[in-house]
Amino acid sequence: MDDEFVFAGEESQIESDATRPWNILVVDDDVDVHVATKLTLENVRIHGRSLYLIDVHSGHEAISTLKANQQIDLILLDMIMENRESGLDVANWLRSESGCYDKPIIILRTGQAGVFKDSEILQNKNFNAIVEKSSLTRASFIGLLTKMLPGAEA
């Protein structure tokens, strides 16, 4: 006989976490980026789980959404929206003021990589990855998400 205890409802919680979709917050002021992201990730499953995209169009909307939804697994965060540092401001708020030090995963996306010096970006530890939008292919984008989201072994 196994000495492991399972409390009522515990099995269903484990099952629901493993089967619920990944909640991905897409933060970008460019509507075309939202459309392209949806088309790219349509019907994609990562580690056996589907993707649920939540669209917002500004840093302010991102912070409001994050305050209201604690189930965000990953953020695709545009660097430049309302101003030059909108994306960095969201990441700084999330990691400093909100108390979410390691989750959700933040992937900073930029269409204007030359605006910031590499040293500025590398010194900011509030995000998990940075990618240039124009360099992403469908395969590399899905590969990045697969790498960043925890697998079954995590």
Side-chain angles (χ1 to χ4, degrees):
M1 184 162 155
D2 192 357
D3 289 333
E4 183 178 342
F5 294 101
V6 177
F7 296 98
E10 197 171 285
E11 283 183 9
S12 63
Q13 179 65 35
I14 292 168
E15 184 179 329
S16 67
D17 284 348
T19 58
R20 78 168 175 82
W22 294 109
N23 291 316
I24 298 177
L25 182 62
V26 181
V27 185
D28 203 299
D29 59 344
D30 186 342
V31 174
D32 291 338
V33 170
H34 289 273
V35 171
T37 301
K38 280 185 178 171
L39 289 172
T40 300
L41 298 177
E42 189 173 49
N43 299 318
V44 169
R45 296 182 72 78
I46 296 181
H47 305 301
R49 293 165 59 179
S50 61
L51 309 177
Y52 178 72
L53 303 181
I54 302 163
D55 293 309
V56 299
H57 302 276
S58 71
H60 299 293
E61 280 184 87
I63 290 172
S64 294
T65 301
L66 289 162
K67 285 180 179 178
N69 186 344
Q70 303 297 311
Q71 292 280 321
I72 302 294
D73 298 298
L74 185 138
I75 304 170
L76 297 171
L77 181 60
D78 186 22
M79 186 183 309
I80 300 173
M81 292 175 286
E82 302 97 312
N83 62 57
R84 181 178 180 263
E85 297 185 0
S86 295
L88 296 176
D89 291 344
V90 171
N92 292 339
W93 170 83
L94 186 63
R95 298 299 193 233
S96 300
E97 295 176 39
S98 80
C100 297
Y101 304 110
D102 59 351
K103 293 185 181 174
I105 297 161
I106 301 173
I107 298 175
L108 198 61
R109 298 196 296 180
T110 182
Q112 303 171 10
V115 172
F116 290 93
K117 296 178 190 168
D118 288 342
S119 59
E120 287 180 86
I121 298 300
L122 294 174
Q123 289 174 358
N124 190 316
K125 303 293 184 197
N126 292 328
F127 52 89
N128 302 87
I130 183 168
V131 295
E132 192 167 337
K133 293 175 192 175
S134 63
S135 70
L136 283 176
T137 64
R138 183 175 193 272
S140 67
F141 189 31
I142 293 169
L144 176 64
L145 295 180
T146 301
K147 176 182 167 189
M148 300 304 289
L149 289 166
E153 70 282 349

